[in-house]
Amino acid sequence: MDQAFQVDLRGVVDLLSRHLYSSPRVYLRELLQNGVDAITARGTGPGEVRIETGAALRVHDNGIGLTEDEVHQLLATIGRSSKRDELGFSRHDFLGQFGIGLLSAFLVADEIEVVTRSARGGPAVRWTGFADGRYRVEPLRDGEQPDEPGTTVTLRPRPGATDWVSPATVTELARTYGSLLPVTLSVDGKQITGDGPPWRTRHPDPGRRRAALDAYCRELYGFVPFDVIDLDVPEAGLTGVAFVLPQAVTPTSRGSHRVYLKRMLLAEGVEGLLPDWAFFVRCVVDAGELRPTASREALYDDELLESTRLALGERLRQWLVRLAETDPARLRAFLRLHQLGVKAMAVQDDDMLRIVYRWLEFETSAGPMTLAEFRTRHADGRYTTNVDEYRRLSAVSGAQGIGLVNGGYVYDAEIIERLPAIDPDLRLRRLDPAELTTHFGVLDPGTELALRPFLTAAQRALDPLGCEVVVRDFDPASLPALYLTSRSAEHQAELEQARDVAGDLWSDVLGALNSAAAVDRPQLVLNHRNPLTRRITSLPAQDPHDAQDRQGGQDGDHFGDGRSAQHGRPGQPGQQGLIELAVQGLYGQALLLGHHPLRAADTAVLNRSFLGLLDWAVHS
């Protein structure tokens, strides 16, 4: 047999009044809400809400009021909105839609008294609700009857909550929530409401309007905006302004905005009103059609809010496009502040991509410049997707006449790769470091022949590290050596690293992939234009055609205490060993200079070469 739910009214009241809302301060907003909705329902004459402070707090409105039957049906039924079909009005005309707003008064009082007289006729009644879930309704005596229809809510604060109903707090809350309301709102006879939303105020002089909005922004947010953007979304009944921040902020910071619904403040920190990329503005808006959550402290995320979000994003995009067309200097100033937000838009929007291409400066091997300027100077330019790769190759590529763009920062590579979307001729190719060697100068045949013994010794030193040694002539001359690895070599190295840490099954699979890959070893390119490199390559080396394998410490033991077979000092390596130390030292220095990751073998060679060369230098 079906059973009815047993409802603990006191528990329900406690749940809704104490846990639905984030702070007791919302109690006054809900009381104002009820008053404004009652005035809207009556629809005749000027609306007025009067608040009086003292031993008790009284909030009076000259709205439609309630009959005794409506009091029983609406005030004593949790969850039934008093603004819906019962009063014959469509739901969207009112802010209160859940029938629980009055319960917020229990945040500051244990008892709520409502005296109401209906504009539809009938005597006034008194409804008294208690925090434990009880209520009573009684008619007023003849001498207590109000002169006009309307409602008065009276709260007597519980011990510990008197600060919430003090004159200063009530005035502050009334100004915060109700200063833009389309009714006359007063606290203890002092009017709170003014001329309505500042962005709707007409000024014959645009300069005066901008100055007024700047002052409004400074009062709300504490800054003078870089610019002010008018907002209008008719579908949501939304108007307002977006204040462009005058200082840079991180894209990860979620923008919070001041949102009014039918000119009643919803909240001061509403998120989700704008697209995530629009972090560079703070908005103040008033909307008539957006839906609040049950606590009326946030917006309900539905299709209307989504379409509103897109419309507001489009409005910001149009502002940037217009700025590019009418005031390029101001656009550049904005981009210096908020380039990340604009880049985020450019990744998805072709118009914003054109703005970024034409106006936003990128880091290049020829200095900071726009992509449009870079393409004019370097029709066959390249880009990198990694900041470290750019730093180690920009000077070298620039010296070879190869323009290079740093695409390693957030969104930069994606923007560069999207350029053909606006013009197929704007394609930039990603740099393969190995191709730089094709631009380096080659040595004359006589020098190449003379260096053959040295190269053989140098190659023997780096063979265990999987690196090839070549000598070229290139700028800058201050760079003794450059470590270059192609994309395929990087991929091969990643396979080797994955194979080392994989289990037996995957190790075999990765080994098969690795064996199928083309052999493409990294290169240590020695710069013959560098004086130190020339001295190292001039060290006498044993010709491999005349040499015999050295034994024990003569070849590989750089720290043995026997004499070297070739011109060595006691306890030191010979020339052959010194070449090995020097080449390995250049190898380690090139890895460090290029910010390449060091393997265990690389670290060991780097330490060995450093200590060996140090020992050679200080040996007496």
Side-chain angles (χ1 to χ4, degrees):
M1 184 175 68
D2 293 341
Q3 300 290 322
F5 282 106
Q6 299 299 312
V7 179
D8 181 352
L9 291 181
R10 182 165 190 158
V12 172
V13 168
D14 181 74
L15 174 66
L16 294 177
S17 64
R18 299 182 187 275
H19 301 288
L20 179 66
Y21 302 105
S22 61
S23 168
R25 70 199 305 260
V26 300
Y27 85 92
L28 190 66
R29 182 197 65 190
E30 297 300 324
L31 295 181
L32 291 176
Q33 181 68 76
N34 291 337
V36 172
D37 282 345
I39 292 170
T40 302
R42 186 172 184 182
T44 58
E48 181 182 12
V49 177
R50 299 193 312 270
I51 301 176
E52 299 172 358
T53 64
L57 176 74
R58 290 180 173 84
V59 180
H60 172 77
D61 68 76
N62 61 348
I64 194 170
L66 298 173
T67 65
E68 182 173 354
D69 288 341
E70 291 169 343
V71 165
H72 281 284
Q73 293 175 13
L74 304 178
L75 294 187
T77 305
I78 297 173
R80 175 183 293 178
S81 173
S82 59
K83 323 300 187 308
R84 298 171 68 179
D85 297 337
E86 291 87 346
L87 297 180
F89 289 86
S90 59
R91 177 173 179 158
H92 76 274
D93 289 334
F94 303 94
L95 284 167
Q97 298 176 359
F98 302 97
I100 56 177
L102 188 62
L103 296 177
S104 65
F106 287 123
L107 293 169
V108 297
D110 291 326
E111 179 182 317
I112 305 172
E113 179 186 279
V114 178
V115 174
T116 181
R117 176 183 170 186
S118 176
R120 298 173 178 177
V125 296
R126 177 185 289 111
W127 177 93
T128 306
F130 303 92
D132 59 6
R134 296 178 295 112
Y135 79 94
R136 65 169 175 258
V137 177
E138 54 190 350
L140 295 181
R141 293 188 293 270
D142 292 340
E144 298 176 322
Q145 292 289 330
D147 296 332
E148 299 290 337
T151 300
T152 301
V153 179
T154 302
L155 304 180
R156 292 176 177 80
R158 71 165 64 91
T162 53
D163 287 345
W164 289 109
V165 297
S166 66
T169 300
V170 171
T171 301
E172 178 188 356
L173 294 178
R175 184 174 290 112
T176 298
Y177 287 112
S179 60
L180 302 186
L181 286 173
V183 302
T184 301
L185 171 63
S186 63
V187 177
D188 293 333
K190 183 178 180 180
Q191 186 166 327
I192 300 297
T193 47
D195 298 327
W199 57 89
R200 294 185 184 175
T201 303
R202 296 184 178 276
H203 288 280
D205 179 9
R208 288 181 56 194
R209 180 178 186 271
R210 172 61 189 271
L213 291 175
D214 283 352
Y216 179 62
C217 178
R218 185 170 57 248
E219 178 184 355
L220 287 183
Y221 294 119
F223 63 82
V224 177
F226 177 88
D227 206 348
V228 179
I229 307 168
D230 285 302
L231 304 176
D232 183 16
V233 183
E235 178 187 7
L238 182 147
T239 63
V241 285
F243 298 115
V244 181
L245 294 169
Q247 68 279 335
V249 293
T250 60
T252 55
S253 63
R254 294 184 61 86
S256 56
H257 310 285
R258 194 179 184 95
V259 176
Y260 293 82
L261 294 184
K262 296 181 175 66
R263 295 170 60 170
M264 172 74 76
L265 179 66
L266 179 74
E268 298 169 288
V270 175
E271 297 182 353
L273 181 67
L274 297 181
D276 290 340
W277 53 257
F279 59 87
F280 52 84
V281 297
R282 296 293 179 267
C283 295
V284 183
V285 300
D286 177 46
E289 301 297 330
L290 295 179
R291 295 170 56 194
T293 58
S295 66
R296 290 201 284 278
E297 295 179 318
L299 291 172
Y300 186 75
D301 201 348
D302 55 10
E303 292 182 1
L304 179 58
L305 178 58
E306 175 63 22
S307 64
T308 301
R309 187 182 298 122
L310 294 175
L312 293 176
E314 174 64 16
R315 183 67 188 87
L316 297 181
R317 187 190 65 81
Q318 291 173 357
W319 169 76
L320 283 169
V321 173
R322 186 179 70 254
L323 206 61
E325 296 172 348
T326 61
D327 197 345
R330 190 160 179 78
L331 175 66
R332 289 192 185 96
F334 168 79
L335 292 177
R336 284 193 293 270
L337 285 174
H338 302 296
Q339 56 177 290
L340 284 178
V342 176
K343 287 180 181 180
M345 285 189 282
V347 170
Q348 302 176 357
D349 184 89
D350 288 349
D351 286 338
M352 293 312 305
L353 183 61
R354 292 185 181 92
I355 290 177
V356 167
Y357 173 72
R358 184 178 176 187
W359 300 108
L360 185 63
E361 289 187 343
F362 284 67
E363 185 178 5
T364 79
S365 55
M369 65 179 65
T370 66
L371 292 175
E373 187 179 357
F374 177 82
R375 286 284 298 161
T376 301
R377 296 189 184 186
H378 303 280
D380 195 31
R382 302 286 194 275
Y383 74 96
T384 68
T385 60
N386 181 278
V387 174
D388 285 339
E389 184 178 62
Y390 170 81
R391 288 173 179 169
R392 67 175 175 259
L393 298 178
S394 60
V396 177
S397 64
Q400 315 314 312
I402 302 174
L404 190 63
V405 179
N406 184 2
Y409 296 115
V410 177
Y411 301 121
D412 284 5
E414 297 170 82
I415 288 172
I416 293 170
E417 291 164 0
R418 280 203 72 236
L419 289 178
I422 59 175
D423 187 344
D425 295 332
L426 297 182
R427 187 179 303 278
L428 290 176
R429 289 196 294 127
R430 183 179 175 186
L431 177 70
D432 189 330
E435 72 177 285
L436 284 177
T437 57
T438 63
H439 295 267
F440 293 163
V442 296
L443 307 183
D444 62 82
T447 304
E448 286 272 11
L449 184 62
L451 290 179
R452 185 177 298 171
F454 166 81
L455 285 172
T456 300
Q459 188 60 59
R460 185 166 57 248
L462 294 189
D463 266 338
L465 301 171
C467 184
E468 181 183 354
V469 182
V470 296
V471 180
R472 295 289 184 268
D473 189 280
F474 60 90
D475 285 323
S478 59
L479 186 66
L482 182 66
Y483 181 85
L484 294 178
T485 179
S486 66
R487 301 290 173 219
S488 59
E490 288 179 353
H491 176 66
Q492 194 169 345
E494 291 171 357
L495 283 177
E496 288 283 358
Q497 186 177 7
R499 184 182 180 185
D500 291 341
V501 299
D504 293 339
L505 173 61
W506 288 109
S507 180
D508 292 341
V509 173
L510 293 172
L513 292 174
N514 196 26
S515 62
V519 176
D520 192 359
R521 305 173 77 190
Q523 290 184 333
L524 180 67
V525 186
L526 303 180
N527 187 3
H528 198 255
R529 194 168 295 187
N530 178 266
L532 173 62
T533 302
R534 282 203 305 273
R535 288 197 296 272
I536 292 174
T537 58
S538 299
L539 291 172
Q542 188 177 14
D543 192 297
H545 300 290
D546 302 328
Q548 295 180 353
D549 291 338
R550 292 186 292 168
Q551 302 294 322
Q554 291 181 341
D555 184 31
D557 184 6
H558 295 162
F559 305 104
D561 43 14
R563 294 179 180 271
S564 169
Q566 297 191 43
H567 317 295
R569 294 181 248 172
Q572 285 196 290
Q575 298 293 350
Q576 199 79 10
L578 182 59
I579 289 175
E580 184 174 345
L581 287 176
V583 171
Q584 290 177 345
L586 289 176
Y587 170 82
Q589 189 259 1
L591 288 178
L592 294 174
L593 185 64
H595 301 277
H596 294 281
L598 295 180
R599 302 167 298 175
D602 298 330
T603 303
V605 164
L606 186 61
N607 291 335
R608 180 184 182 191
S609 63
F610 172 76
L611 294 175
L613 292 172
L614 188 62
D615 181 67
W616 178 276
V618 302
H619 187 82
S620 60

